Amino acid sequence: MRFFTQRRHFGELSEQEILALAISSEEDDAQIYRSYGERLRAEFPDTAAIFDGMAVEEDGHRQALIALHQSRFGNVIPLIRREHVAGFHARRPVWLMQNLSLERIRDEAANMELDAERFYLEAAKRSSDAGTRKLLGDLAAAEAGHQHTADGLERAHLGGEARAEEDRQAHRQFVLTWVQPGLAGLMDGSVSTLAPIFATAFATQDTWTTFLVGLAASVGAGISMGFTEAASDDGALSGRGSPIKRGVASGVMTTVGGLGHALPYLIPHFWTATSLAWVIVFIELWAIAWIQNRYMETPFWRASMQVVLGGALVLAAGVLIGSG
């Protein structure tokens, strides 16, 4: 098996190496919690305080493990980290946390403790050495204790009202950064491409030409909407978040909205393709109305009138122009 991996297997580690691995893991986890706290401090100070407290707890465990190592094996700690051991629980690279939501970061922290506890418990079961079993059992108990500490810190720093406020803020940021530009793009792609696609369809009765026009209109509109959204606001003052994220959301959804009723024209039979395209348009318009009602708190009847009626008028205009 060593031909397939350069990692050490847990069963090959000595007691000193197991202790060194625990020390480095505690150090890594403390740094991750501090990074979470720094990432959230400006917008969610109460949750940041929780991660600060959890990092302090990890530091305490690391110091206790170092003291144990000094008493048993001396001052030189072997350099062994989790990535050196096959099957050891991995941690998400720190740069990826920039894209995590508040709730996802909380879940990641909970999973960190659970993964570590589960690993140490399983490792203890497989060990035949009494000293190693005791060490692994102590580490598992320490990881379980971390979760109890996190619960206590959450109660101290994040009461019901504070957590509800942070959740509202996170939802608002999600809507501003992703939903709002994505919805604008979906509306533009679904509605604005109706006229050229159906005008081409009824003017030429050629499904392939219609598809090419729809593809060009959709991709062109997506690129235009994406760059326009990204360039219109850097998010610094409006609080709408990263312009790149908003541009991607707007551009992709614009393209998707147009392609939805362009793709049926890959079917060579004109009326089959057109009937399917009409069904897709109907679904698209009602989906937009639902998103407006769900995330933008627009009354459903108003969203229906704005989107469905408007889309129907654009569709009718394209059919009339093409038929003429």
Side-chain angles (χ1 to χ4, degrees):
M1 293 301 294
R2 295 304 299 276
F3 292 104
F4 297 97
T5 177
Q6 296 301 313
R7 295 183 178 185
R8 298 281 300 279
H9 291 279
F10 191 83
E12 300 172 348
L13 301 181
S14 66
E15 291 186 38
Q16 182 184 16
E17 290 171 329
I18 292 171
L19 191 56
L21 178 60
I23 291 170
S24 65
S25 296
E26 297 285 0
E27 182 178 4
D28 289 346
D29 288 352
Q31 184 59 39
I32 290 173
Y33 289 142
R34 286 194 172 89
S35 298
Y36 283 157
E38 188 63 25
R39 157 78 169 80
L40 299 171
R41 199 172 313 283
E43 293 181 289
F44 310 108
D46 293 313
T47 296
I50 293 174
F51 286 119
D52 290 340
M54 293 176 69
V56 171
E57 288 293 317
E58 299 287 343
D59 286 340
H61 292 135
R62 177 176 56 85
Q63 292 167 4
L65 289 165
I66 290 175
L68 178 60
H69 185 279
Q70 289 174 327
S71 66
R72 295 190 60 188
F73 305 109
N75 293 325
V76 179
I77 301 174
L79 179 59
I80 180 169
R81 311 188 74 86
R82 55 169 52 96
E83 59 267 23
H84 301 156
V85 179
F88 202 79
H89 51 270
R91 296 290 187 242
R92 182 186 294 271
V94 68
W95 57 84
L96 293 182
M97 76 172 61
Q98 300 298 326
N99 297 320
L100 297 182
S101 66
L102 173 62
E103 196 60 37
R104 185 62 184 274
I105 288 177
R106 290 172 179 162
D107 291 341
E108 286 284 323
N111 289 334
M112 284 170 60
E113 304 299 343
L114 291 174
D115 286 344
E117 179 188 2
R118 187 182 305 113
F119 179 84
Y120 287 131
L121 287 173
E122 288 300 316
K125 293 177 184 178
R126 297 173 186 170
S127 175
S128 59
D129 179 77
T132 303
R133 286 179 67 90
K134 182 180 184 305
L135 176 60
L136 293 174
D138 290 344
L139 291 174
E143 293 298 336
H146 290 185
Q147 187 60 44
H148 294 306
T149 299
D151 292 340
L153 289 167
E154 182 164 344
R155 287 191 296 271
H157 294 283
L158 201 61
E161 184 176 346
R163 177 157 188 157
E165 178 58 32
E166 288 196 350
D167 288 342
R168 284 193 294 270
Q169 177 65 21
H171 176 74
R172 177 179 179 275
Q173 193 64 52
F174 171 73
V175 170
L176 290 176
T177 303
W178 295 105
V179 177
Q180 192 176 71
L183 179 61
L186 184 61
M187 291 177 64
D188 184 84
S190 297
V191 176
S192 67
T193 58
L194 289 175
I197 289 176
F198 285 100
T200 302
F202 280 85
T204 65
Q205 301 274 309
D206 186 329
T207 58
W208 179 246
T209 300
T210 302
F211 169 73
L212 292 178
V213 170
L215 179 63
S218 301
V219 173
I223 295 173
S224 176
M225 284 288 289
F227 275 100
T228 300
E229 178 63 38
S232 65
D233 179 12
D234 63 5
L237 295 178
S238 66
R240 296 179 64 212
S242 167
I244 296 177
K245 293 179 181 178
R246 299 194 330 268
V248 168
S250 181
V252 169
M253 294 309 294
T254 300
T255 303
V256 169
L259 286 178
H261 43 266
L263 288 175
Y265 284 98
L266 288 172
I267 301 172
H269 188 270
F270 174 76
W271 282 110
T272 301
T274 300
S275 299
L276 180 58
W278 281 343
V279 171
I280 292 176
V281 169
F282 179 81
I283 294 173
E284 287 174 347
L285 296 179
W286 281 106
I288 292 171
W290 180 85
I291 294 172
Q292 282 190 317
N293 175 256
R294 172 67 175 82
Y295 290 101
M296 310 305 293
E297 299 181 357
T298 304
F300 192 77
W301 66 268
R302 183 186 303 171
S304 302
M305 290 293 292
Q306 292 174 344
V307 178
V308 178
L309 180 58
L313 292 175
V314 174
L315 173 61
V319 172
L320 289 174
I321 293 172
S323 300

